[in-house]
Amino acid sequence: MTTASSSAASRPDPALFDYLLRLGDDSLILAQRLSEWCGHAPMIEVDLSMSNVALDLVGQAMLFLDYAGQVEGKGRDGDKLAFHRDALRFRNCLLVEQPNGDFGQTMARQYLFSTWQRLLFQGLVKSTDAQIAGIAAKALKEIEYHADWSAEWVVRLGDGTPESRERMINGFAWMWRFVDELFQVDEIDAAVAKAGIGPARDSLRSDFDAALKSTFEAATLPLTPLPAAVLGGRKGHHSEHLGHILAEMQHLPRSYPGAVW
Amino acid sequence: MSTLHDRVMGVLAGVPDPEVPVVSIVDLGMVREVRENPSVVVITPTYTGCPATDVIKSSIRVALDSADLRDVAVETTLSPPWTTDWISESGRDKLRAYGIAPPPHSSQLRAKASPACPRCNSTNTQEISRFGSTPCKALWRCLSCAEPFDHFKCH
Ligand SMILES: [Zn+2]
């Protein structure tokens, strides 16, 4: 897709391939989740917002998955990886596949993800891999919007009516279990961090906690200790939700292989 | 005898942005480079998920082909990332005349100044939604003349 990537195919790198799938799948699955809101949001402006965020995330996903395909060197492109892979082969975190629930639950998921993603991409901008650094610099400008926008909603709903406050609290209550996974380091993250390709995930934690504290104070929401983490997404062990997401997302290209507009 | 650069830029100045057709891709600053031997034009997408990017690439191909510039390849690059600072002054004027408030320069971003209403030029304006009809725009309204308008986001 760009000139900088031509060297990738000559050095297949399983850790880099897996890392790119993690980056791409996080964005892809959350985009698919957000697009479920299209036509159902509380207001037209919010409907547009969620579609816009979804579109940005699809853009990130395609760039990372196209690059993953080049690194893998087996002729798969972003579309092939998105639409012709089974749930076990997906490497997204569990947070992004959680159901939309109500608007509060969707905003809780978005806020946690975008706040974390902003910190991750601030590190990726300095990647030793020029292609990743380029994608990250491009995407970071968009992520800043997602993070600010979702934080504003957390404050508006948390510090809103008793009803909106309760929904925000319940929304976060669903999502807390999936926060720790974002900061888990396994052998792939360690290899990537060692090579300077991406930041050490655990190093993002203190900034994340600080951001959370400040937003929750503004939203007058209680910050409770996090429950034990649920893990598995990065190894392909997903909740039942992912299968349903993929069934919908992949139905058309799998039923009509090679279909074009 | 015009150079390849001038010929290519002349052709690309006639390729409109599919979502805001009053401005060309040259006005938007999407054309980064024209190289020779081999001949290549390098463009950069405005937004990562912008569905217009593929349309723009094929419009460029068609425009180059019909100008007898079939040998000029089209490539995309992500870095340095596109910024609204690259929108030309004439591009900004065209946006304003079309009813879209142009983006502020990034040097003025932290000032948080409200965009001027493209209809009455009042700066007494208010954000309705940070996301608008396309990835590049936010929805605003003018409190002086009550006109709702699109604001090209600073990026
Ligand atoms: Zn006005």
Side-chain angles (χ1 to χ4, degrees), chain B residues 88-141:
Chain B
S88 66
E89 280 312 313
S90 77
R92 285 163 198 270
D93 291 341
K94 289 178 194 169
L95 286 173
R96 206 176 288 114
Y98 191 61
I100 299 173
H105 278 280
S106 57
S107 54
Q108 296 156 0
L109 185 61
R110 292 302 161 204
K112 295 257 177 207
S114 297
C117 167
R119 185 168 173 271
C120 76
N121 213 28
S122 164
T123 51
N124 187 18
T125 56
Q126 184 185 47
E127 182 183 85
I128 302 173
S129 172
R130 187 160 294 186
F131 297 89
S133 51
T134 63
C136 57
K137 286 177 267 161
L139 276 178
W140 282 66
R141 98 176 114 223

Side-chain angles (χ1 to χ4, degrees), chain A residues 123-181:
Chain A
L124 289 178
V125 164
K126 297 172 231 151
S127 176
T128 51
D129 183 303
Q131 179 85 342
I132 291 180
I135 297 172
K138 184 85 210 134
L140 183 57
K141 297 182 179 198
E142 297 161 2
I143 295 167
E144 304 269 359
Y145 261 93
H146 309 167
D148 290 347
W149 172 75
S150 54
E152 282 169 15
W153 272 110
V154 169
V155 172
R156 194 172 300 148
L157 296 174
D159 191 23
T161 65
E163 167 92 19
S164 71
R165 177 182 175 79
E166 189 188 332
R167 286 176 182 238
M168 208 62 249
I169 289 173
N170 292 341
F172 277 108
W174 182 294
M175 301 300 166
W176 287 137
R177 290 167 286 168
F178 308 105
V179 170
D180 258 352
E181 187 184 35

Side-chain angles (χ1 to χ4, degrees), chain A residues 23-260:
Chain A
L23 293 171
D25 290 347
D26 280 350
S27 300
L28 179 66
I29 299 303
L30 186 55
Q32 185 67 19
R33 268 295 187 224
L34 284 174
S35 67
E36 292 170 14
W37 272 103
C38 191
H40 300 279
M43 292 179 285
I44 181 77
E45 290 83 1
V46 175
D47 210 289
L48 280 172
S49 303
M50 286 197 278
S51 301
N52 267 285
V53 176
L55 200 56
D56 289 344
L57 291 167
V58 167
Q60 297 167 12
M62 291 322 287
L63 293 172
F64 283 126
L65 294 180
D66 271 335
Y67 185 30
Q70 290 166 19
V71 168
E72 187 192 36
K74 291 182 183 168
R76 294 202 280 183
D77 63 2
D79 279 341
K80 191 94 183 160
L81 286 167
F83 296 120
H84 298 274
R85 230 178 344 140
D86 294 327
L88 264 172
R89 305 267 176 224
F90 270 74
R91 294 290 177 262
N92 57 280
C93 60
L94 297 173
L95 176 69
V96 294
E97 66 194 49
Q98 296 311 306
N100 286 339
D102 61 12
F103 185 67
Q105 186 167 317
T106 292
M107 279 305 115
R109 184 186 62 203
Q110 192 65 44
Y111 171 74
L112 294 169
F113 181 79
S114 297
T115 303
W116 166 77
Q117 200 192 24
R118 163 151 59 183
L119 296 169
L120 177 66
F121 276 55
Q122 283 168 352
L124 289 178
V125 164
K126 297 172 231 151
S127 176
T128 51
D129 183 303
Q131 179 85 342
I132 291 180
I135 297 172
K138 184 85 210 134
L140 183 57
K141 297 182 179 198
E142 297 161 2
I143 295 167
E144 304 269 359
Y145 261 93
H146 309 167
D148 290 347
W149 172 75
S150 54
E152 282 169 15
W153 272 110
V154 169
V155 172
R156 194 172 300 148
L157 296 174
D159 191 23
T161 65
E163 167 92 19
S164 71
R165 177 182 175 79
E166 189 188 332
R167 286 176 182 238
M168 208 62 249
I169 289 173
N170 292 341
F172 277 108
W174 182 294
M175 301 300 166
W176 287 137
R177 290 167 286 168
F178 308 105
V179 170
D180 258 352
E181 187 184 35
L182 304 174
F183 303 95
Q184 289 290 323
V185 177
D186 65 6
E187 67 285 356
I188 290 187
D189 295 299
V192 159
K194 189 157 176 272
I197 291 169
R201 285 183 190 273
D202 48 349
S203 72
L204 309 173
R205 191 61 195 255
S206 57
D207 283 345
F208 178 85
D209 287 343
L212 207 64
K213 185 164 178 284
S214 134
T215 304
F216 268 58
E217 272 169 17
T220 70
L221 286 170
L223 248 188
T224 48
L226 292 191
V230 184
L231 306 173
R234 304 295 185 204
K235 299 283 184 207
H237 305 302
H238 294 279
S239 64
E240 64 170 301
H241 304 300
L242 185 66
H244 295 286
I245 295 172
L246 295 185
E248 187 169 304
M249 188 182 87
Q250 298 179 335
H251 163 70
L252 193 105
R254 290 217 185 197
S255 305
Y256 303 93
V260 290

